[in-house]
Every structure is written in C-alpha cells, then in structure tokens.
Amino acid sequence: MYNYQNEVSKSNGWIAKPLGRTGDLNSWVERMEAACPNPSKGQVVWLNNDKNSIGYKVLGFKRNGDVIWQRGQVIWH
C-alpha cells in the first residue's frame, strides 16, 4: 500500500521539511515500520507512492535500534 522506496538518495538533493507539530507518533512509527521494515542509512521512503511528495530519510539509528527519520523532499534533477 505505502511502500515506495528510494534506495539511493544524494544528500545534496534533499531538503528537510520539518512539520514542528505534535500528533499520534506511535501510529506514524507503525506506518514507517510497515512501509520499511529494514531501513538502511540514507534510504528515502514515501508513504503514498508519489516521488514528488514529502518523504522520510533515514539519518541513522539510536542505540536501541530505533530509526532516526527526517521529513523532507528529494529534489529531482
């Protein structure tokens, strides 16, 4: 359903777009885990299969293994 992934994303083609709002974080984390159960650093995931929409990039991992995501948009050249 929502599982479009970009395996390689150049950092110079990425623009962070933080929302700065609160919400149901647990539901969002569950959606990300369903869309990308084994993420790798630098991977970009779009939840709605549209590469022109906002995506989420894996910045790294916490000590407990949780993924550190950054909301943003890939700039296609």
Side-chain angles (χ1 to χ4, degrees):
M1 182 165 125
Y2 40 78
N3 195 9
Y4 188 89
Q5 299 178 24
N6 178 23
E7 296 296 331
V8 179
S9 175
K10 296 179 182 176
S11 60
N12 62 355
W14 176 258
I15 296 177
K17 292 193 173 206
L19 283 175
R21 63 177 148 156
T22 59
D24 186 358
L25 179 60
N26 290 332
S27 292
W28 180 84
V29 169
E30 288 174 8
R31 288 180 64 203
M32 294 306 292
E33 288 175 352
C36 189
N38 297 308
S40 58
K41 188 173 180 180
Q43 183 174 8
V44 176
V45 177
W46 290 269
L47 294 180
N48 62 356
N49 292 334
D50 180 2
K51 291 182 358 181
N52 293 321
S53 69
I54 298 298
Y56 299 89
K57 184 174 184 177
V58 179
L59 295 182
F61 300 90
K62 296 179 183 178
R63 289 185 182 193
N64 66 1
D66 288 348
V67 182
I68 301 169
W69 295 98
Q70 181 181 52
R71 183 179 186 273
Q73 188 170 14
V74 174
I75 305 303
W76 301 97
H77 300 283

